[in-house]
Amino acid sequence: MTAAESSRLETTLALVLAGEIDSYTAPDLADLLAKYPDVDVVDLRDVSFIDSSGLRVLVEVHQQRNDADRTLTLRSPSPAVQRLLEISGVAKHLTVDS
Amino acid sequence: MTPHGASRSRAASVPDGDRLELRLPARPDVVGSARRAVHDYLTARGVPSAVVDDLQLVTSELVTNGILHGSPGAIGVVVGIDDRDAIELRVSNDGPGVLPPVSTWQAPEDLVVSGRGLGIVRQLVDDAEVVEADEATTVVCRRAWRRGAAA
């Protein structure tokens, strides 16, 4: 790596989630993502449960980031997240980094 | 799907004593309790974890739907395993139904944000129907599961 290349430092802000995302906790997730608009990555490896209420928040934030010419990456989806992404048919529309 | 009326009515006999019956206040904080109760009931009866996980997701979607769209009051959850090893899950809410017919529950193909939950339910069960009776709306779901078979 040359000095010229390394002088440009890029940072990625990741939000690491753990636990259950449902209609009770999804509003908290929406608040968190609104509070930290620079989050580019949501790490989902420790999400033990998610339903459509949680998926709805992720889709909405994905669309907001898209509108701002940015990308929200869903990183390391847990089996529960993977299952919902598959059956809901939205996986192909989102940016998922397994 | 189980298109044959005869097999469906036969399959509907869940032993009364072995059902799980919950009645919960229609508040968002009960959704997790309903999921855990369904998880514990099915796991204790040897249902494979992949099937248990799917039924937890169905429970979550239907209870949430009942809370959001039913009248203030109670949510009922009844789960049992019938004599043909199918899991039957019933989720009811007080008040007249606001659910569309099951045949219109679509899994969205694009990024439509609302109305996703019922399409998800339909993907996870073999059979679902909406029953409106006694001033309550009940969604009755069945998911086949054979004892000893791989999930």
Side-chain angles (χ1 to χ4, degrees), chain B residues 33-53:
Chain B
S33 312
R35 277 199 307 273
R36 273 178 279 284
V38 168
H39 170 275
D40 292 351
Y41 172 89
L42 295 175
T43 300
R45 282 153 187 81
V47 176
S49 63
V51 179
V52 175
D53 289 348

Side-chain angles (χ1 to χ4, degrees), chain B residues 9 12 24 43-44 60 79 86 90 93 107 110 120 122 144 149:
Chain B
S9 57
L24 304 162
T43 300
S60 204
V79 60
R90 296 171 169 261
N93 58 260
D110 53 18
I120 288 167
R122 209 178 174 197

Side-chain angles (χ1 to χ4, degrees), chain B residues 38-108:
Chain B
V38 168
H39 170 275
D40 292 351
Y41 172 89
L42 295 175
T43 300
R45 282 153 187 81
V47 176
S49 63
V51 179
V52 175
D53 289 348
D54 283 356
L55 269 295
Q56 284 199 92
L57 182 49
V58 172
T59 303
S60 204
E61 299 296 346
L62 293 178
V63 171
T64 296
N65 213 76
I67 291 167
L68 292 180
H69 300 301
S71 305
I75 302 287
V77 178
V78 179
V79 60
I81 299 174
D82 69 21
D83 55 3
R84 290 165 61 98
D85 278 348
I87 297 160
E88 183 183 287
L89 173 70
R90 296 171 169 261
V91 177
S92 59
N93 58 260
D94 294 343
V98 292
L99 292 177
V102 174
S103 59
T104 65
W105 298 1
Q106 299 290 337

